[in-house]
Amino acid sequence: MTTSLTWRAPATRGRNGRVSSVWERFTPYIYIAPFFLLFLAFGLGPLLFTGWVSLHDWQLLGDTHRYVGLQNYGEMFNDPRFWKALRNTLAIFILSTVPCMGLALGLASMLNNRTLRAKTFWRMALLVPNVTPLVTVTLVFTSIFGRDYGPVTWILRSLHLPVIDWGASAMTTQIVIAIMVIWRWTGYNTLIYLAAMQAVPSAMYDCAEIDGAGRWTTFTQVTLPMIRPTILFTVVTSTVGGLQIFTEPLLFTSPTGGNNGQGLTVTLLLYGQAFNSFKFGYASAIAIALLFIILVLSLVNFAVARLIRSS
Amino acid sequence: MPVTSKEQPRTAGVGRPVSRAAARSRRRSLDSSRRRRREGTPWFSYVVLTISVLLALIPLYWMFVVGSNDTSAVSRFPPVFLPGGNFLHNLGVVDSIVPFGRSLINSAIVSGAVALLQMFFCSLAGFAFAKLRFRGRRLLFLLVIATMALPSQLGLVPMYLIMSKLSWIDTYWALVVPGAVSAFGVFWMRQVVIGTIPDELIDAAKSDGCSTFRIYRSIVVPNIRGSAAVFGLFVAMTTWNDFLWPLVVLNTPDMFTSQVAIQQLRTQYTIDYSTVMTASVLATLPLLLLFVAAGKQLVAGIMEGAVKG
């Protein structure tokens, strides 16, 4: 090991042959620098700049950006589309997250069983939806839930039930979009929960068993409290991701969220205002509003988690 | 923890001292093969899992069915439920609307580049956070974690402005550079380094006078190669599936990624499902094949990364 090490001049050796130099103390920062630089340039920077743009009348064309104060925010609060988009987004978020978490917990506790056969098969099969492109997922489900044709309509007709025009009303649109989200994310969350469940010390289960706790009691009194940090983690990531939902409503309805805005979500509105109407200032105000909502909801998640822990 | 497993049974056991004693003695006899009672798998687990897997796979099967039939076959009653022979014809239609082969190549280039860059930068940062001592390490790492809670997608408008300033609109740069490193990846790779490389090895190398980069190159990289590859696969798949950002920064059909190209096949009011699904099959098949080949490792990787999530 005596060759090497002068690959860059500053690395000189002190006693004991150690590389002891200012350079070596500095290198860890170089290794983590790419993350922080890119985050500043393409993460935090743009977010802060969004706040700045939101205070201006900022069109795509034209170099003058007139400062308008909070006017864009005023326009937003008076824009019925914004409220509709917010309602739809929250509805889709709740309709998708709650069942998704519940299903994932149930499936994970079934997979968390030593005698289960074909473990790898189940895990892989459940993860397949998560590697499927979002665009594909949306288009497949759009055709499955077609109004005139498609499997769902066929089943309803065969059972002599009324046929549903899924894309027509806000509620059915939300349901179909929620189904897409549930389909794509349940398997992934299942694996996350399963990993957390496997990390629970088996002594805890032994104790529960010795004391005669049944499956359900064990699940609610041992498993759930032990994996609470993981559940909180998935709730927060689902909040951040779910409230930005875009691809599903865009492709299931239209860039404007359908004729009556039944599929309009906040990010869809943001996208339309920015890249169809080229009102960058207004779009930025919407982005800041959504950012604020996401941060508040994430904090609420943490607060609720803390409350549960202390009670 | 509010309700420990010890409190719960106490109430359950009060009325049943016999069963408690029995349980105690059973514990002794079960020491070698622990948890026998719970170890049986109830039949309904298999039923539920089978149904779930069917629900997970049927939509993909439907994609193959629609993509290989003509449009009228899909709108028939009852609809067709078997793949047909119209795939190549549909493919011709797809290619007459957008250069779809080109879009697949674009997707592959972008996904491959992002995956390689992330494997390098994330493992380097992960190694630093896992094994190197430096001032502010804990705080900086917490900062990395905290950035995951930030919805950076909302910086869409300034991102677009930045890309125009850099003249990166409609280029690979706009897709590759912002994705070259991620907080999630740094976290994942840190877990991997902690899990695979003992501190003693690093210390030994240090006292031999190895520079930290030499340690990274000669000790870390060879040992984490497998896990890094799984991570790279994960990154490539998510990048392949990206939609909103490519939709914003790409204008010309020759630059479209496959996901943007598929969207172009769908006009505002009508969808010719067979063409759209044919394209979807082509854009999804590479992912499914990769998944069949490496899905087992991917599952393990996701679960390892999650333990301390």
Side-chain angles (χ1 to χ4, degrees), chain B residues 242-291:
Chain B
D242 270 347
F243 178 63
L244 174 55
W245 182 235
L247 183 68
V248 168
V249 289
L250 302 178
N251 302 324
T252 53
D254 270 345
M255 286 308 295
F256 286 164
T257 59
S258 60
Q259 302 306 305
V260 178
I262 292 174
Q263 193 260 347
Q264 297 291 313
L265 295 171
R266 173 196 183 283
T267 54
Q268 190 153 351
Y269 297 105
T270 57
I271 308 178
D272 178 11
Y273 283 115
S274 53
T275 27
V276 168
M277 288 301 149
T278 301
S280 291
V281 167
L282 279 179
T284 309
L285 209 55
L287 299 181
L288 293 181
L289 292 178
L290 275 176
F291 189 73

Side-chain angles (χ1 to χ4, degrees), chain A residues 248-264:
Chain A
E248 294 93 332
L250 171 75
L251 295 177
F252 184 64
T253 57
S254 72
T256 54
N259 298 335
N260 307 312
Q262 65 269 35
L264 189 66

Side-chain angles (χ1 to χ4, degrees), chain A residues 176-204:
Chain A
V176 174
I177 291 175
I179 289 174
M180 298 176 196
V181 177
I182 294 168
W183 185 79
R184 192 158 188 268
W185 287 102
T186 299
Y188 182 82
N189 283 327
T190 301
L191 293 187
I192 302 284
Y193 291 151
L194 177 60
M197 287 177 187
Q198 290 180 341
V200 176
S202 61
M204 307 229 20

Side-chain angles (χ1 to χ4, degrees), chain A residues 246 255 267-279 283:
Chain A
F246 169 78
T267 307
L268 195 52
L269 182 64
L270 189 175
Y271 172 81
Q273 291 303 307
F275 300 104
N276 291 330
S277 310
F278 301 112
K279 292 164 72 179

Side-chain angles (χ1 to χ4, degrees), chain A residues 47-124:
Chain A
L47 273 183
L48 295 176
F49 195 42
T50 303
W52 171 256
V53 175
S54 76
L55 300 175
H56 292 76
D57 177 17
W58 198 302
Q59 310 284 335
L60 175 67
L61 304 169
D63 282 333
T64 52
H65 311 299
R66 195 164 52 85
Y67 177 81
V68 294
L70 295 176
Q71 191 182 303
N72 285 321
Y73 292 92
E75 188 184 341
M76 181 179 76
F77 285 121
N78 292 318
D79 187 348
R81 287 173 308 176
F82 173 72
W83 297 108
K84 184 175 269 180
L86 190 57
R87 240 188 346 260
N88 287 341
T89 306
L90 290 173
I92 293 168
F93 170 64
I94 290 166
L95 283 174
S96 58
T97 308
V98 175
C100 185
M101 304 270 152
L103 287 170
L105 278 171
L107 287 171
S109 65
M110 284 180 185
L111 289 176
N112 187 26
N113 186 321
R114 285 184 197 175
T115 58
L116 186 77
R117 283 165 196 278
K119 285 188 183 108
T120 311
F121 167 76
W122 300 115
R123 291 176 193 179
M124 277 180 66

